[in-house]
């Protein structure tokens, strides 16, 4: 059976309890993205959380309004119908969600920009492993760098397709994400994100060639200045060989172009 709107509903009661119990949610405001049929929502409410849920599917949204009418009236649950990748998110402290596979990256980046205390999130296992891949190794990528720059990621447990209905064709993984300040100073978060995106757009090329081919992502003057200032050791490396410090250095050096626009 094909999953409508990328929806794989969690039906394993033990898995639901494990996810809801990974962090203390009592009296906390919890954001749940994609509540679906509300099994995780109910588990969070049973632990005395105040839940704010965002559901894209209008039919599911309507069903949730009916099924949870009592707790909605008691102001313990708020359900918003919208797309979590772009709608206005309510205020929250913690995130606990079974994310839709197709929107995992956009939602994760948005949550990191928004800010939160802790998040317990379920992803496709392959996606989660890319997030966990150590920076500076062949398995790392844009996702690894961006998430690990701004957060600590902890693998919790995996779930088989049997935990869902309809069954996905892949395994899923639950991870805990805890935001932190970057280890290395970053002068401009937006430019940093553009640098990481530009470099991993051509990950098999050298940093030098990635920067030269970054038209549309980085300003020509920025690129020229970086190529003049960075040591060959960095420029001749591939993006997957760089460490967090290197990405921060490239960004901060390039921002120096603003003070030397004629170079």
């Amino acid at each position: 059976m094909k999953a409508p709107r990328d929806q794989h509903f969690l039906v394993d009661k033990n898995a639901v309890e494990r996810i809801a119990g990974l962090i203390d949610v009592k009296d906390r405001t919890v954001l749940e993205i994609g509540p679906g049929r509300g099994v995780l929502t109910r588990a969070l409410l049973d632990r005395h959380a105040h839940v704010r849920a965002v559901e894209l599917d209008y039919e599911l949204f309507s069903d949730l309004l009916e099924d949870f009418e009592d707790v909605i009236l008691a102001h313990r649950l708020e359900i918003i119908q919208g797309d979590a990748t772009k709608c206005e998110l309510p205020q929250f402290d913690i995130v606990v969600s079974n994310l839709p596979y197709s929107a995992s990256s956009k939602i994760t980046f948005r949550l990191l920009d928004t800010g939160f205390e802790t998040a317990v999130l379920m992803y496709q296992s392959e996606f989660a492993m890319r997030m966990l891949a150590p920076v500076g190794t062949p398995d790392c990528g844009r996702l690894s760098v961006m998430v690990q720059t701004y957060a600590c990621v902890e693998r919790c447990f995996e779930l088989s397709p049997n935990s869902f209905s309809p069954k996905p064709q892949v395994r899923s993984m639950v991870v805990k994400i805890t935001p932190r300040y970057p280890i290395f100073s970053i002068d401009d978060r937006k430019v940093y994100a553009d640098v990481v995106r530009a470099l991993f757009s051509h990950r098999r090329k050298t940093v030098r060639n990635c920067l030269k081919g970054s038209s549309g992502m980085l300003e020509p003057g920025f690129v020229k200045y970086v190529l003049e200032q960075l040591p060959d050791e960095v420029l001749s490396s591939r993006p997957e060989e760089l460490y967090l410090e290197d990405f921060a250095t490239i960004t901060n050096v390039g921002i120096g172009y603003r003070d030397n626009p004629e170079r």
Side-chain angles (χ1 to χ4, degrees):
M1 181 186 297
K2 184 177 180 181
R5 290 180 182 264
D6 195 29
Q7 295 161 329
H8 298 276
F9 300 109
L10 188 59
V11 294
D12 183 334
K13 293 182 180 179
N14 290 331
V16 171
E17 291 300 310
R18 289 182 71 185
I19 293 169
L22 278 171
I23 53 177
D24 184 7
V25 298
K26 184 178 180 181
D27 298 328
R28 307 308 307 280
T29 302
V30 179
L31 174 66
E32 184 185 6
I33 295 172
R37 294 172 179 162
V39 293
L40 182 55
T41 310
R42 194 167 295 282
L44 293 168
L45 291 168
D46 288 345
R47 287 166 169 75
H48 306 288
H50 298 277
V51 181
R52 291 173 174 171
V54 180
E55 176 56 58
L56 174 63
D57 188 293
Y58 186 77
E59 290 185 9
L60 289 172
F61 167 72
S62 299
D63 290 342
L64 290 166
L65 290 179
E66 183 177 341
D67 294 344
F68 289 91
E69 182 179 7
D70 55 340
V71 286
I72 292 173
L73 291 174
H75 304 291
R76 293 186 53 218
L77 172 64
E78 177 185 357
I79 306 175
I80 299 163
Q81 197 273 317
D83 183 345
T85 65
K86 55 189 175 183
C87 74
E88 183 177 352
L89 297 177
Q91 291 188 335
F92 60 93
D93 305 313
I94 295 168
V95 191
V96 181
S97 301
N98 170 17
L99 297 180
Y101 294 153
S102 62
S104 294
S105 182
K106 287 183 179 180
I107 292 174
T108 300
F109 288 145
R110 187 173 190 198
L111 289 174
L112 287 170
D113 284 339
T114 302
F116 54 89
E117 291 180 17
T118 309
V120 172
L121 301 173
M122 187 192 304
Y123 298 100
Q124 181 178 335
S125 285
E126 182 181 351
F127 181 95
M129 290 304 294
R130 291 204 308 272
M131 185 185 300
L132 289 159
V135 177
T137 68
D139 293 329
C140 82
R142 179 188 173 212
L143 178 67
S144 324
V145 172
M146 291 303 299
V147 173
Q148 292 176 40
T149 294
Y150 299 109
C152 296
V153 188
E154 175 186 349
R155 174 177 175 166
C156 297
F157 57 87
E158 280 193 273
L159 293 174
S160 77
N162 294 328
S163 296
F164 303 86
S165 177
K167 296 180 182 179
Q169 297 181 343
V170 296
R171 295 180 65 83
S172 299
M173 183 184 294
V174 177
V175 304
K176 183 188 294 185
I177 301 177
T178 305
R180 60 168 170 76
Y181 288 109
I183 299 172
F184 304 101
S185 176
I186 296 170
D187 293 342
D188 189 313
R189 286 180 62 137
K190 182 184 182 304
V191 175
Y192 183 83
D194 290 341
V195 166
V196 175
R197 180 164 61 97
L199 291 178
F200 282 104
S201 294
H202 307 282
R203 60 179 298 144
R204 299 305 174 190
K205 295 183 178 181
T206 64
V207 169
R208 178 183 286 104
N209 289 333
C210 288
L211 291 171
K212 288 180 178 179
S214 63
S215 176
M217 289 179 275
L218 298 170
E219 296 179 26
F222 177 100
V223 172
K224 182 175 182 293
Y225 191 74
V226 168
L227 292 175
E228 291 174 350
Q229 299 297 315
L230 286 181
D232 185 67
E233 178 184 359
V234 174
L235 293 174
S236 61
S237 300
R238 292 180 178 178
E240 64 192 37
E241 297 172 327
L242 301 179
Y243 296 98
L244 293 179
E245 181 179 13
D246 298 316
F247 291 101
T249 297
I250 293 170
T251 301
N252 296 342
V253 166
I255 289 173
Y257 158 72
R258 298 171 181 172
D259 299 323
N260 299 274
E262 296 180 2
R263 293 197 58 171

